[in-house]
Amino acid sequence: MSSHFIYKQGQLYAESVSLLKIADQMGTPCYIYSRKALEQNWQAFSDAFGKVPHRICYAVKANANLAILNLFASKNAGFDIVSMGELERVLAAGGEAKKIIFSGVAKQSLEILRAIEVGVGCFNVESESELMRLHTLAAQQNKIVNIAIRINPNIDARTHPYIATGLSDNKFGIDMKDILSLYKKIQTSMPHCKVTGIACHIGSQLTELSPFVEALDCVLSLISELRKIGIELKHIDMGGGLGVRYHNETPPPIAAYVHQFCEKLKNTGLELIIEPGRALVANAGILLTRVEYIKKTSSKNFAIVDAGMTELLRPALYEAWHPIMPVMERSNAPEMLYDIVGPVCESADFLGNNRLLALEEGDLIAIGMVGAYGACMSSNYNARPKIAEVMVDQDTIHLISARETIQDLFARERLLPAL
Ligand code: LLP
């Protein structure tokens, strides 16, 4: 948890605002972000580079709210995107097209055309077929697009298998053995593609430095091979992936993570791009939820709350552990082990199991470390409207995404003609 969510006089606060006040004003459930926490994380990355030429391209998928994108854009951020939706979000939030990296294994022609039209900085190419399509479309538009090939170095990121991307049986990136010939092909026969870099992203929520170092070594060995055949690159994109502490993980500090890259690149003249998502936003967000019912069965105590897998999918999808804290520190209720579960009709609908808490019906609780991959992975399952999101800036509460209404839920749907 960031130091911007703390207890004051027995009550949990976001910066200078009590969560009780936010619940009163905004209702529950509700996502709450701290502007200070976001800025502090940004600064930690930015400071760590020192004089090494670099660009921090925020991975939009971690949290694509316009206010958050706009905050990072104001810090001169670049952005890593994977869809036209993310592209338009970045532009709407004031991000600059030339600082955008377009990643993803399945870029559609329409998306590529729009990205060419607005002039994104670089396409990270994930297959030979994609490269061919990109070249054809760029030629049709009479444009030259910047390309980095994303390599798959077959490195184990030692993370949850669903978020490991650097092994040869993952769909991501291109096999090391095919990289040189592909660069040669671009150089010799694709005048509408210009090779500017090389990219790599081996997974997310990495808690050790060594897989990153291994990946960078692979990239550097390819760069020297490329140099031998006269291909000079301008940048290395090492992707995202730095982990955070949800429970008892001990990920390296941001500075150590950045320094290890800078150390190896310092005399190469190459620009270093990174695409952090989680490490920039995870600790800046909490999910505020209210206990609707306490239900004791012969084997368990359930605290049934008004948020569930529809609002925070990570526990259901990855069995992820998030901290859970009462908003009021003291309670007359006895402490006991609870499974904190949501309203959704699935047994995977839990936010945390076996948590020692003193709870009563009506209590507010906060789920921590949900700024990344929280709101953006929410769904309307069980016809549940998307919840409000607010950003606290010192003593001010800003609504940054309004709660969906029931009308919003089916506004796009149409009945068959007169039945
Ligand atoms: N760059 C690329 C090409 C990526 O695929 C990703 C994440 C990132 C950057 C940002 O990675 P980060 O710094 O956030 O680790 N939903 C999952 C995480 C999926 C990550 C997908 N790619 C979760 O909730 O843990």
Side-chain angles (χ1 to χ4, degrees), residues 198-209:
I198 185 163
C200 185
H201 169 82
I202 56 173
S204 198
Q205 182 55 15
L206 274 70
T207 52
E208 301 163 76
L209 286 182

Side-chain angles (χ1 to χ4, degrees), residues 150-153 155 157 159-168 170-173 201-204:
R150 174 170 173 183
I151 67 164
N152 180 323
I155 288 173
T159 183
H160 190 286
Y162 290 3
I163 54 176
T165 53
L167 287 169
S168 56
N170 299 135
K171 69 181 171 183
F172 300 97
H201 169 82
I202 56 173
S204 198

Side-chain angles (χ1 to χ4, degrees), residues 57-62 80-82 103-104 124 126 150 162-163 165 172 200-201 203-206 237-243 246 257 274-281 313-314 317-318 320 322 372-374 376-377:
C57 291
Y58 169 59
V60 173
K61 63 172 80 67
D80 163 56
I81 62 158
V82 290
S103 305
N124 283 359
E126 302 235 14
R150 174 170 173 183
Y162 290 3
I163 54 176
T165 53
F172 300 97
C200 185
H201 169 82
S204 198
Q205 182 55 15
L206 274 70
D237 178 347
M238 288 306 295
L242 177 61
Y246 287 106
Y257 161 81
I274 54 168
E275 303 168 352
R278 189 186 320 263
L280 275 172
V281 293
L313 184 60
R314 302 193 73 256
L317 187 56
Y318 315 112
H322 285 262
Y373 307 110
C376 58
M377 290 176 75

Side-chain angles (χ1 to χ4, degrees), residues 31 33 63 281-283 285-287 312 322 367-375:
Y31 272 104
Y33 307 106
N63 190 321
V281 293
N283 71 358
I286 60 166
L287 172 60
L312 180 65
H322 285 262
I367 322 291
M369 302 295 293
V370 297
Y373 307 110

Side-chain angles (χ1 to χ4, degrees), residues 74 91 142 144 225 271 290 293 297 333 340 350 382 387 405:
S74 76
L91 298 176
N142 203 20
I144 296 175
E225 294 295 309
E271 181 189 30
R290 194 181 288 281
Y293 301 103
T297 70
I340 313 296
F350 65 92
N382 282 195
I387 65 175
T405 64

